Amino acid sequence: MSKSPVLAIVLALSVVILITLVLTILLMHHSTASTSEAKLIMWIVPWGAGNYTVPSWAIPGVVLAYQCNDPSASMPWINWALYTIQQYVNEDKPVFINIFCEIYQPSYRWRGTLDYINVPQFIIEDLKKMDPSGKGLYIGFSEEATCVANATCRGSMIKIYNELRGEFPEAGFFYYASDGENANDVLALAKGANLTLVGYDIWDYRYVNGVVTVPEYLINNLNTLKSSGFSIIVGEVGFRYCDERAYVDPANWNVKFNWNCTAPAVYMSQVLGELSSSLHPTFIGVWAWNDNTFGVLFNPYLISALENYTKG
């Protein structure tokens, strides 16, 4: 055989090998990118409007809200939550249950200001009727700032978590803090309760030249929890659903909207991208599916941005 055909064969094989290597690298990169995205939880609230069914690409999160000092006064909300949870359990889907024990009468008190927590026994019994093992359920509390900061109340929270684990041995358990909570206190709760997931919500943002980012202190707090070996949940990321200035005092539902439905979708994409690249949380909760101020349901651009995120 002459040198020319041999050289041609060698060159051809070299090209094939090079193409194979490039494709392999691209596929590896795609695989890594796809798995870096967190699973999205859509929080569904009892005071909201519209359809309570979240899209198939999201995990349902049900807000179980009731009056701490008089749970019977909250039965419509409790019954709604239990019914909604049951529907997803029937579909064999995982469900997050966010327990909101607050005071609504005689005057409203946010749970973050309370120095106690209770879970009515009848709620536990109704949940056990759905699945006595708790398989597929993630049960937890959020934003209990005053309680978590107090060693005695934090101890009572740990006791409640342990009691719930005894009732639902196959369930997961979570806690996510409000942005002002001390990371060491949150870590003490997570360790004492042996939580499955722990993290923070994000209602504080920075805006520079069209880009919304998460403050460094929050990323640091989340990394403190992650470096201790815990899987991370970013409990809530939220924007007013069609507000051009949705990043300004974002949790304030009394702010007058500067109407722009595209802007919050852009901000959401920026924040989710930052969280995925810098933190790699396991779950990110989106506030909220059907709330009247933050409802993703009412902004198709926001829905598209979230769905695109899940596709990597």
Side-chain angles (χ1 to χ4, degrees):
M1 188 179 288
S2 68
K3 289 183 179 180
S4 180
V6 171
L7 181 60
I9 292 170
V10 169
L11 287 172
L13 285 172
S14 298
V15 170
V16 170
I17 291 170
L18 180 61
I19 291 172
T20 302
L21 285 171
V22 170
L23 287 173
T24 301
I25 291 168
L26 288 172
L27 286 170
M28 287 174 65
H29 174 74
H30 176 74
S31 176
T32 302
S34 296
T35 56
S36 67
E37 274 68 44
K39 295 178 181 178
L40 296 184
I41 306 161
M42 291 289 166
W43 293 116
I44 317 166
V45 299
W47 55 80
N51 191 336
Y52 292 133
T53 303
V54 302
S56 59
W57 43 261
I59 297 172
V62 178
V63 172
L64 178 51
Y66 56 89
Q67 178 142 314
C68 298
N69 54 346
D70 185 10
S72 63
S74 315
M75 287 311 297
W77 281 5
I78 293 172
N79 288 336
W80 165 85
L82 293 171
Y83 173 81
T84 305
I85 294 165
Q86 180 71 73
Q87 301 315 298
Y88 284 113
V89 168
N90 291 347
E91 296 175 17
D92 199 27
K93 291 183 178 179
V95 187
F96 277 74
I97 302 171
N98 199 340
I99 298 173
F100 275 38
C101 172
E102 301 184 321
I103 294 177
Y104 304 102
Q105 297 293 335
S107 59
Y108 176 71
R109 287 188 63 190
W110 175 54
R111 62 193 180 283
T113 65
L114 301 179
D115 59 0
Y116 71 95
I117 295 175
N118 59 34
V119 182
Q121 186 61 35
F122 75 86
I123 289 179
I124 295 173
E125 291 171 357
D126 284 343
L127 289 173
K128 282 185 71 67
K129 291 176 185 175
M130 298 178 196
D131 187 333
S133 72
K135 184 178 181 181
L137 300 181
Y138 291 84
I139 305 170
F141 303 91
S142 59
E143 301 177 327
E144 301 281 356
T146 298
C147 188
V148 173
N150 179 282
T152 301
C153 191
R154 187 168 65 242
S156 70
M157 280 189 72
I158 290 171
K159 182 180 178 182
I160 290 173
Y161 273 116
N162 289 335
E163 290 171 349
L164 288 169
R165 182 174 287 103
E167 296 285 356
F168 304 101
E170 295 187 47
F173 294 90
F174 69 88
Y175 177 75
Y176 64 83
S178 50
D179 51 34
E181 293 185 49
N182 182 284
N184 291 328
D185 292 337
V186 177
L187 191 57
L189 173 68
K191 289 179 177 178
N194 191 25
L195 295 180
T196 315
L197 298 158
V198 64
Y200 279 81
D201 61 18
I202 298 175
W203 288 103
D204 185 12
Y205 301 103
R206 302 291 180 265
Y207 177 89
V208 179
N209 296 327
V211 179
V212 172
T213 59
V214 180
E216 185 178 4
Y217 78 90
L218 271 173
I219 296 294
N220 289 341
N221 283 347
L222 286 160
N223 273 320
T224 295
L225 302 176
K226 185 174 183 178
S227 65
S228 297
F230 287 96
S231 295
I232 297 302
I233 177 173
V234 175
E236 297 172 19
V237 175
F239 294 100
R240 293 182 295 272
Y241 70 88
C242 273
D243 188 357
E244 189 171 66
R245 292 171 56 81
Y247 56 88
V248 178
D249 196 10
N252 189 347
W253 57 85
N254 292 315
V255 173
K256 183 179 179 181
F257 277 40
N258 187 0
W259 203 260
N260 181 334
C261 290
T262 304
V266 173
Y267 306 151
M268 182 69 77
S269 295
Q270 291 169 344
V271 169
L272 292 178
E274 179 188 6
L275 290 172
S276 290
S277 63
S278 64
L279 188 67
H280 306 297
T282 305
F283 294 96
I284 297 175
V286 178
W287 193 265
W289 175 244
N290 62 321
D291 184 273
N292 292 322
T293 303
F294 307 99
V296 173
L297 172 64
F298 309 121
N299 184 341
Y301 301 108
L302 199 47
I303 292 175
S304 294
L306 291 166
E307 183 177 10
N308 287 338
Y309 168 82
T310 66
K311 294 177 180 178

